[in-house]
Amino acid sequence: MVGPERPQFVLFGSSIVQLSYSNGGWGATLSDIYARKADIVVRGYYGWNSRRAVQVLDQVFPKDAAVQPSLVIIYFGGNDSMGPHSSGLGPHVPLPEYIDNMRLIARHLQSLSDSTRIIFLTCPPVNEDKVRANTSEVFSKLVRTNELCQQYSDACIKLCQEMGLKVVDLFTAIQKSDDWMNTCFTDGVHLSAEGSNIVVEEILKVLKSAEWNPSLHWKLLPTEFSEDSPYDLVAAGGKRTLNPSEWTFHREIQWN
C-alpha cells in the first residue's frame, strides 16, 4: 500500500461495478471527485449474482485486514432477477435467497469495523426491447424484465430499511430521466455516461445527508497535501501563489 493512508471506498458487485470505469462510468467519476481525498477500489465481477458474492466475502473483505474500508457500495440484483433456466443453471437466484444473501453481505461488512459505512444500490430498470434485440446465439434466451427488476429492487430497499442501512433506489431514480430507456444504457442493461451520472448524484445525496462521524462527503473530507506552497502557480500580482488543490473547474458537472 502506498501512503499517505486515505479512506478506502470499495465498490463491490457485478458488471455494473466492473464496468464502472467504462463509458464515463460512475466509478471513474467518483475517483475524480475524491481525488486527493479517498481511494476508490473496484471489486466488480461481470455476470455475478449474490450467491457468488457470499462465497467470496472472506476473500474480498478479510476480517483481519490491517486496514478496513471506510465505505462499501454494493450492487447485486440484476443477474439474480433474471428468469430461471429450465436446466437449473444460470445466474437466477430466487427472491427469498437473494434477500438472505444480501443480509449476509451486510452483516459481514458490519463486522469489519465500527466505522465501515455501507450503501446498497438497487437493481436498475432495463430497456426490455433492446435486451431482446441484443440476444446472442451464444446464449439461451435471456429473460430480463422490469417487473422482475422492480421485485428485487423493492426487496433490497425493504431489507435496508429493516437493517438501518443506506440504499439508493436506482430503479426509480433512473426512470425520472427523460427518455431513460435510450439515454441511460449502452446495451439496454449496462450504464451509459448519463446513467452513471444518475448513480453518482444519488450516492452523493446519501453521503451528504448521512449523519456519519466523520462525514464521507467529498467536500468535508480533508484534501491531501493541501497546504500552501511557494512552488504553486504565481498569482497575477506576482507576490503570492495560488493553491490549486481544491480547484474543480475541469469538471463538466460541478457535483454537490
Side-chain angles (χ1 to χ4, degrees):
M1 179 176 178
V2 298
E5 185 177 314
R6 301 175 180 176
Q8 186 181 84
F9 294 0
V10 182
L11 316 182
F12 179 48
S14 55
S15 55
I16 295 292
V17 173
Q18 181 175 330
L19 302 181
S20 66
Y21 275 70
S22 299
N23 303 307
W26 59 279
T29 299
L30 286 176
S31 287
D32 175 46
I33 293 171
Y34 279 89
R36 296 175 67 168
K37 293 175 179 285
D39 288 330
I40 311 297
V41 180
V42 176
R43 292 295 182 267
Y45 305 93
Y46 210 124
W48 277 34
N49 57 18
S50 63
R51 189 178 289 166
R52 294 195 73 180
V54 168
Q55 294 173 349
V56 301
L57 281 175
D58 288 320
Q59 294 169 264
V60 179
F61 299 101
K63 292 185 179 182
D64 60 353
V67 177
Q68 294 294 356
S70 297
L71 174 68
V72 184
I73 301 176
I74 309 103
Y75 167 72
F76 290 100
N79 296 318
D80 299 67
S81 69
M82 290 175 63
H85 192 270
S86 57
S87 67
L89 301 172
H92 171 72
V93 174
L95 187 59
E97 183 187 345
Y98 167 74
I99 296 169
D100 288 342
N101 290 341
M102 299 300 273
R103 182 180 289 108
L104 285 171
I105 293 171
R107 286 177 175 166
H108 181 88
L109 296 175
Q110 287 174 325
S111 73
L112 298 179
S113 164
D114 291 339
S115 59
T116 296
R117 310 304 183 186
I118 301 168
I119 300 175
F120 275 93
L121 307 181
T122 77
C123 186
V126 296
N127 182 329
E128 294 181 15
D129 292 340
K130 203 164 188 177
V131 171
R132 285 191 290 268
N134 289 341
T135 299
S136 168
E137 295 180 358
V138 176
F139 301 109
S140 59
K141 183 180 179 181
L142 301 178
V143 178
R144 201 156 197 165
T145 69
N146 282 316
E147 181 180 0
L148 290 171
C149 289
Q150 183 166 21
Q151 290 177 17
Y152 283 69
S153 174
D154 289 346
C156 183
I157 293 171
K158 183 179 179 181
L159 174 65
C160 289
Q161 290 171 342
E162 291 173 357
M163 298 187 70
L165 301 173
K166 302 297 184 182
V167 61
V168 171
D169 180 2
L170 289 184
F171 189 84
T172 299
I174 285 178
Q175 292 186 73
K176 291 179 180 177
S177 179
D178 293 339
D179 196 24
W180 63 270
M181 284 191 289
N182 295 312
T183 61
C184 290
F185 305 103
T186 58
D187 56 3
V189 174
H190 299 105
L191 298 171
S192 64
E194 184 165 336
S196 279
N197 285 341
I198 294 172
V199 179
V200 173
E201 182 179 4
E202 294 300 316
I203 289 173
L204 291 180
K205 285 180 184 177
V206 171
L207 292 172
K208 187 174 183 179
S209 64
E211 296 180 355
W212 292 336
N213 187 20
S215 173
L216 298 179
H217 189 261
W218 69 276
K219 288 186 177 180
L220 297 179
L221 281 176
T223 299
E224 192 172 277
F225 299 129
S226 61
E227 63 274 6
D228 291 336
S229 167
Y231 308 122
D232 289 334
L233 297 172
V234 180
K239 295 182 179 180
R240 66 184 183 93
T241 57
L242 299 175
N243 185 332
S245 62
E246 301 288 349
W247 291 356
T248 62
F249 64 85
H250 66 283
R251 294 177 186 157
E252 184 177 353
I253 299 175
Q254 291 298 306
W255 298 101
N256 193 8

